[in-house]
Amino acid sequence: MNHLPGVDEVQAESAGRRRGRSGIASRAVTLIVGLGMVLTTAVACADESTTGGEVTLLTHESFELPESVIDGFRRQTGLTLKIVRSGDAGQLASTVSLTPGAPKGDAVYGIDNTFASRPIEAGALESYESPLAADGADEYAVPGAADKLTAVDRGDVCLNIDDAWYESRSLTPPASFRDLVKPEYASQTVLTDPATSSPGTAFLLTTVGALGDGWQDYWKRVVGGGATIVSGWEVAYNQLFSAGEGKGDKPIVLSYASSPAATPDTSALLDSCFPQVEYIGVLKGTRNSTGARKLVDYMLSPEVQSALPESMYVYPVQRDVDLPEGWPARAEVPAWMSSLPPATIAENRERWLDQWRDAVGR
C-alpha cells in the first residue's frame, strides 16, 4: 500500500476499524483465534514466577488476528500471548487509566486517538519507542507522547447503509449524515454512545467539526426522531444492523468506511467520516516489561501488519505493506473527513460529552 500521512494531516485512506463482516462476529474474516493464544476472562498480571513466559494483552472485544499470526509471536519470542478483552476502546481506556502502576496486564492495544489522552494523563503507560516505528508508525504518534503509545493501525469511522434493505423496499437511502435529522432516517439508525465507544466518540467529533455551533441541535433532532444509541460497535453492527450477522431492523449503522468490503450490498456515507488510529502501549508497573516491549515490536512486524486488513478491516500503519487484492476499491476512500487535534479533543471531551448528554437526554 502507498504510505499515507498522519492522522492530524487528515489525508487518510479509508479503513474501517474494522470490521464488519456480515455473518462473522468481531470483525474477523472466518479467522478463528485459537492455537497459540490463551483466551481468558480472568484479569491478572503475570507474577514473578511467570515473567518471561507469558505476556498479557488487554484489548477491546473486537480484537482478532489469525491463529498463525498469534502463534508467530510465540515462535519468535518463546512467549505465550494471553488475551484479555475489556469492552470497547472507551471502556478499555478507563480500565487502564484507573490502575496506573498496578496494571491488569502487561500491554494494552486498542486505545485510539479519541481516548489516548486518558491513560497518558493518568500516568498508566511506560515509556517505550519501538525501533520499528520508524517505518511508518511514528507518523501517527500522539503529539508529545510518542514514547507512550505506538500506532498499529488506522481507519475511518463512517455511517454505513444497507443498500439492499432500501432497494427491496423501493426506498431512497440517506445521501449525507445530515439527512439523519429527518425522522424517517433517524428511526432507521443505530449509533453508539461516545462515552463508552470509540466509534461513538469519533462520530460526535465529526458533528462538532462539521456543524460547529449547530451540532447539539443536530443530536436533539436525530435522537428526537427515534435513533437508537447503544454502548458499543458489536451490539450496533452485529445485532441491530440489518446487514449484520444478527439481521436486525436498522439499515443505518455507525461503523467504518471499509466495512462494506466485508459486507455485500452495503456502502458508507463518506461525508460522515472521522480518522481513527489504534495504539499499543506498555503498562506502567508490569512485571514483564521486556515481554511487553517485544509484543509492541511484533505488532509492527510484517506478519501482523499484513494480516490487519482481512482480520480487523483496518489499514496498516507501516510502509510497503501489501493489501488484499481489490481491497482499496471495496473500502472506498472518504473524499473529506472531519478532524480535531488530540490536544483539542483532550481539552474539550468532557464538556462535549456533557453537552451531548443534555442534547440527547441521557
Side-chain angles (χ1 to χ4, degrees), residues 122-136:
L125 300 166
E126 181 180 294
S127 294
Y128 176 61
E129 293 189 62
S130 172
L132 299 181
D135 291 333

Side-chain angles (χ1 to χ4, degrees), residues 37-216:
M37 179 181 78
V38 179
L39 180 62
T40 181
T41 56
V43 178
C45 180
D47 60 25
E48 297 293 347
S49 65
T50 60
T51 296
E54 183 175 80
V55 177
T56 299
L57 176 67
L58 303 185
T59 186
H60 49 57
E61 293 177 350
S62 299
F63 177 84
E64 295 290 346
L65 282 174
E67 61 180 76
S68 59
V69 174
I70 295 295
D71 195 45
F73 179 67
R74 181 187 57 78
R75 292 194 305 270
Q76 289 190 20
T77 66
L79 300 168
T80 299
L81 183 59
K82 176 177 166 181
I83 307 296
V84 177
R85 289 177 170 84
S86 181
D88 208 319
Q91 295 165 293
L92 183 64
S94 295
T95 297
V96 169
S97 300
L98 291 172
T99 55
K104 298 178 179 180
D106 302 304
V108 59
Y109 160 77
I111 293 173
D112 75 346
N113 51 304
T114 66
F115 286 105
S117 63
R118 286 185 180 177
I120 292 172
E121 292 174 357
L125 300 166
E126 181 180 294
S127 294
Y128 176 61
E129 293 189 62
S130 172
L132 299 181
D135 291 333
D138 57 358
E139 296 190 22
Y140 299 88
V142 178
D147 62 331
K148 300 301 183 184
L149 289 168
T150 301
V152 173
D153 59 73
R154 61 155 311 279
D156 305 307
V157 176
C158 304
L159 292 170
N160 278 208
I161 306 298
D162 182 354
D163 296 310
W165 187 95
Y166 285 96
E167 184 176 355
S168 68
R169 291 162 175 78
S170 299
L171 297 175
T172 302
S176 166
F177 80 96
R178 291 172 170 83
D179 290 341
L180 267 59
V181 298
K182 301 175 182 178
E184 62 267 32
Y185 292 131
S187 62
Q188 297 165 359
T189 300
V190 56
L191 303 172
T192 55
D193 190 330
T196 57
S197 162
S198 58
T201 301
F203 188 61
L204 170 60
L205 297 176
T206 290
T207 62
V208 171
L211 302 176
D213 293 339
W215 73 266
Q216 294 174 68

Side-chain angles (χ1 to χ4, degrees), residues 3-12 136-141 154 275 277 279 337 339:
H3 181 64
L4 300 175
V7 65
D8 290 330
E9 300 174 45
V10 194
Q11 309 204 359
D138 57 358
E139 296 190 22
Y140 299 88
R154 61 155 311 279
V277 179
Y279 298 93
M337 286 185 290
S339 182

Side-chain angles (χ1 to χ4, degrees), residues 208-232:
V208 171
L211 302 176
D213 293 339
W215 73 266
Q216 294 174 68
D217 181 64
Y218 171 86
W219 279 97
K220 289 178 182 178
R221 295 176 66 184
V222 170
V223 173
T228 298
I229 299 176
V230 296
S231 61

